[in-house]
């Protein structure tokens, strides 16, 4: 017997899909041989509302050879996500920056620069038959 359910989208993959035509974007885990500059997308929390939408907390980590490129990559990623939300071309419906522009070196690769932002990303639930 099959039922139809509403469930959360894979927000990390939805963000990657929105970014993929414009930037190199990865979901966790970051591959061993990643390309620069790039964005790593990580869901770090979220809530649901009314059984229709989810509000996710997502961190974007931009890595590059230097701080200027990492900063630009992060700002471009946020711009692309805002555009996707406005155009409603993906499951993403709204994007809000909670904190942006924190910078430093990559803890795993101190030779790389990294800029990070935390976003609130709203997406409608998806329907699935199981």
């Amino acid at each position: 017997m099959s039922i139809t359910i509403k469930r959360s989208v894979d927000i990390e993959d939805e963000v990657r899909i929105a970014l993929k035509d414009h930037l190199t974007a990865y979901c966790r885990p970051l591959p061993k041989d990643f390309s620069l500059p790039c964005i790593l997308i990580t869901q770090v929390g979220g809530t649901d509302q009314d059984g229709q939408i989810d509000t996710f907390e997502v961190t974007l980590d931009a890595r590059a050879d230097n701080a200027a490129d990492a900063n630009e990559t992060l700002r471009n990623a946020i711009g692309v996500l805002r555009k996707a939300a406005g155009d409603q071309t993906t499951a993403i419906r709204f994007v809000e920056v909670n904190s942006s522009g924190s910078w430093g070196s990559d803890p795993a690769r101190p030779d790389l620069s990294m800029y990070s932002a935390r976003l609130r990303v709203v997406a409608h639930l998806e329907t699935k038959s199981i």
Side-chain angles (χ1 to χ4, degrees), residues 8-116:
S8 298
V9 297
D10 179 346
I11 197 61
E12 290 178 354
D13 199 44
E14 290 296 331
V15 170
R16 184 195 60 77
I17 289 166
L19 296 175
K20 73 179 174 89
D21 290 339
H22 311 285
L23 300 163
T24 301
Y26 301 102
C27 298
R28 281 188 176 236
L30 189 63
K32 184 177 181 177
D33 298 320
F34 57 90
S35 299
L36 293 175
C38 69
I39 295 285
L40 177 65
I41 305 143
T42 307
Q43 179 184 346
V44 294
T47 61
D48 63 0
Q49 297 174 339
D50 303 329
Q52 297 297 319
I53 61 171
D54 284 333
T55 301
F56 298 96
E57 296 289 325
V58 175
T59 299
L60 301 181
D61 295 315
R63 289 171 169 80
D65 288 321
N66 60 68
D69 288 346
N71 183 7
E72 181 165 340
T73 300
L74 178 63
R75 291 182 296 118
N76 287 344
I78 293 167
V80 169
L81 292 175
R82 286 179 172 151
K83 175 85 167 119
D87 292 349
Q88 299 206 357
T89 54
T90 67
I92 297 168
R93 296 295 180 252
F94 179 78
V95 174
E96 179 178 65
V97 177
N98 288 339
S99 63
S100 181
S102 61
W103 63 274
S105 59
D106 184 333
R109 292 266 316 266
D111 58 312
L112 299 179
S113 293
M114 189 167 83
Y115 269 71
S116 298

